[in-house]
Amino acid sequence: MKIALTAAALLLASTASAKTVVVTADRMVDVLSGKMVEQPVVVITDGRIASVVSAGTQRPFIPEGAERIDLPGKTILPGLIDMHVHLGGTPLVQGYRALEYTDSFNTVMAVPNAEATLKAGFTTVRSLGDYDYADVALQQAIDDGFLPGPRIVPATYALGATGGHCDENTNRPSDAKTSPGVADGPEAVRAKVRELRKLGARVLKVCATGGVFSRNTDPGAQQMTYEELKMAADEAHMLGMKSAAHAHGADGIKAAIRAGIDTIEHVSFIDDEGIRLAKEKGTWLGFDVYNTEYTLSEGEANGVLPENLEKERRVGTIQRENFAKAAKAEAKMIFSTDGGIYPHGLNARQFAVMVRFGLSPIQAIRTATSNAAQALGWEKDVGAIAVGRYGDIIAIEGDPLADVSLLEKVDVVIKGGERVNQDR
Ligand code: ARG
């Protein structure tokens, strides 16, 4: 009797507090079918989508007292997902200029960066490498409602080799530092994955090759062995995490794919065998094809060192050619921009580049919605305006299936059924 009463009371309390929001618009891009839906009515209850109908053909059930967000004239899409950002990254402070700022500078800057990302329509991001566990702190502050920002999947520190792309290589030997993400040899990699998970990582980031922005590394050169990569992927999977590998060079890319890493980031020098392997294994490819433009026009003024500018010139063009090849081969793609290399909030500029180099607009949109959700293992939660998923919705003007660059101007952002900004 006592138990029954409590259950009934609980049920009453939960119905009484259920919050319902109804979103209407002129059109909706249904990313799952690839079709435009006219006069969509989306009902969101307690942050999750309870129903989606087209008012022309079906009658929506709208609970009494529901809050309304009517968006006449607008096109709605699912909240966007960027699979590769660095929330603490500030593009205006590059090279040795970073030494002028105190240690917590990046952590503090991550707060406005997260807000700018959300306001640009990105309601979910993976932060693939940040200092000082800033991504974990932000995730906690955002999830608990203290700060505005996207849903964050944090990697904390990127795991990599001594002297590799993700180590600290800017200091002279007497001031030498080692990144907390450094691990050499399979057993050390195992221990490091466990440690990062313990300290808040929910995705594992590894640095399989050299990079563009690090000092004294070669983007084409592999920096983690197959055995280390295999250990990283297996250990991450055992702990329930996906894994992402920074990899520019063809050998590092193939080793990472063979090792079972879930997403390859940058992918610049991938060869035909690599594309074939990725398709065979179902590995997601995240080419960051926008940021080259920003670095080559603004990098020097921001303090990017000549060594790094030179590497960018070498990598950018080939990366786009290989993106076109992978697009043609219909490899599985995700939207990874490396936000932080360019200013946060400009993430959507990558859509137009992806279309210029071979994806159709709907394919490009899927990289940042349904594909990204699958790659996260969050296809029940994000990536489509569909029943059961979070009420994460953006509204723009016009038809993004005709002109994908319209996504660069997002008018309204709704996250978990809450409107986070007003019309601009
Ligand atoms: N974080 C990457 C690196 O330093 C950025 C590469 C950017 N360049 C490019 N063409 N995608 O290697």
Side-chain angles (χ1 to χ4, degrees):
M1 186 61 194
K2 191 160 176 251
I3 290 166
L5 261 179
T6 315
L10 269 176
L11 190 67
L12 257 181
S14 71
T15 353
S17 67
K19 186 181 171 209
T20 299
V21 179
V22 180
V23 181
T24 66
D26 273 18
R27 285 168 303 273
M28 172 181 91
V29 178
D30 177 3
V31 298
L32 300 177
S33 71
K35 300 223 168 76
M36 196 64 102
V37 173
E38 300 296 322
Q39 306 293 322
V41 179
V42 185
V43 178
I44 305 167
T45 301
D46 285 341
R48 296 231 182 212
I49 296 170
S51 75
V52 188
V53 301
S54 168
T57 52
Q58 296 150 286
R59 200 58 113 54
F61 169 73
I62 298 178
E64 217 177 299
E67 182 188 318
R68 295 192 66 103
I69 304 179
D70 292 313
L71 305 168
K74 308 261 186 231
T75 306
I76 57 172
L77 298 98
L80 302 169
I81 304 168
D82 194 329
M83 296 292 278
H84 187 153
V85 300
H86 301 276
L87 289 169
T90 298
L92 299 180
V93 179
Q94 296 283 345
Y96 292 114
R97 203 171 282 175
L99 300 176
E100 294 168 21
Y101 292 82
T102 195
D103 299 284
S104 47
F105 177 72
N106 290 300
T107 302
V108 170
M109 292 305 288
V111 174
N113 290 343
E115 182 168 2
T117 303
L118 177 65
K119 287 194 167 152
F122 288 80
T123 49
T124 303
V125 300
R126 287 200 305 189
S127 204
L128 291 186
D130 266 304
Y131 296 103
D132 207 19
Y133 308 93
D135 49 357
V136 179
L138 262 180
Q139 179 202 20
Q140 294 171 334
I142 291 166
D143 285 354
D144 289 352
F146 294 111
L147 286 176
R151 305 179 195 282
I152 296 174
V153 184
T156 73
Y157 284 89
L159 187 161
T162 295
H165 176 66
C166 292
D167 196 4
E168 298 270 347
N169 302 324
T170 19
N171 301 333
R172 57 188 172 186
S174 61
D175 298 318
K177 288 214 174 82
T178 301
S179 162
V182 162
D184 298 302
E187 276 313 311
V189 167
R190 187 203 300 277
K192 187 57 74 179
V193 175
R194 292 179 180 180
E195 181 192 333
L196 296 175
R197 171 72 178 60
K198 167 179 161 177
L199 299 177
R202 290 297 174 265
V203 57
L204 176 70
K205 163 82 176 287
V206 297
C207 294
T209 72
V212 172
F213 280 84
S214 49
R215 189 163 162 251
N216 199 21
T217 77
D218 174 1
Q222 189 171 339
Q223 294 186 328
M224 288 177 71
T225 63
Y226 169 77
E227 288 71 25
E228 289 172 322
L229 290 165
K230 176 94 171 62
M231 175 65 87
D234 288 349
E235 198 64 27
H237 292 156
M238 190 183 84
L239 299 178
M241 294 192 288
K242 302 279 185 192
S243 54
H246 158 108
H248 289 284
D251 291 339
I253 291 170
K254 287 185 281 192
I257 295 172
R258 289 196 173 102
I261 297 283
D262 301 288
T263 75
I264 308 296
E265 309 294 317
H266 309 302
V267 217
S268 311
F269 303 131
I270 192 168
D271 57 16
D272 292 344
E273 190 188 11
I275 293 177
R276 190 174 50 72
L277 271 177
K279 286 196 64 170
E280 237 167 71
K281 277 269 209 179
T283 312
W284 298 96
L285 305 180
F287 290 84
D288 51 331
V289 283
Y290 163 66
N291 60 40
T292 259
E293 225 130 291
Y294 180 83
T295 300
L296 294 184
S297 67
E298 310 295 324
E300 194 176 350
N302 292 342
V304 177
L305 301 172
E307 172 193 345
N308 307 108
L309 288 172
E310 189 274 317
K311 288 199 269 185
E312 182 55 63
R313 279 185 213 104
R314 247 187 323 120
V315 166
T317 311
I318 298 183
Q319 186 186 34
R320 288 168 176 212
E321 287 167 12
N322 286 333
F323 172 81
K325 270 195 196 171
K328 202 155 170 228
E330 295 180 6
K332 288 166 69 178
M333 302 258 201
I334 49 170
F335 192 86
S336 288
T337 67
D338 215 353
I341 297 281
Y342 65 86
H344 295 274
L346 302 183
N347 315 51
R349 288 193 183 180
Q350 185 168 285
F351 288 112
V353 184
M354 292 172 112
V355 168
R356 177 143 51 96
F357 286 90
L359 290 191
S360 68
I362 186 68
Q363 285 174 327
I365 291 168
R366 281 179 177 147
T367 66
T369 53
S370 48
N371 289 9
Q374 276 182 44
L376 288 170
W378 282 13
E379 57 271 63
K380 289 197 167 67
D381 298 316
V382 297
I385 300 179
V387 171
R389 304 199 199 203
Y390 287 122
D392 293 355
I393 295 173
I394 62 169
I396 63 170
E397 215 58 77
D399 180 1
L401 300 181
D403 177 3
V404 83
S405 74
L406 294 171
L407 289 165
E408 292 168 22
K409 193 187 164 290
V410 170
D411 295 321
V412 178
V413 179
I414 298 163
K415 184 185 157 207
E418 305 257 348
R419 186 171 174 149
V420 300
N421 61 354
Q422 297 299 321
D423 248 352
R424 270 184 286 161

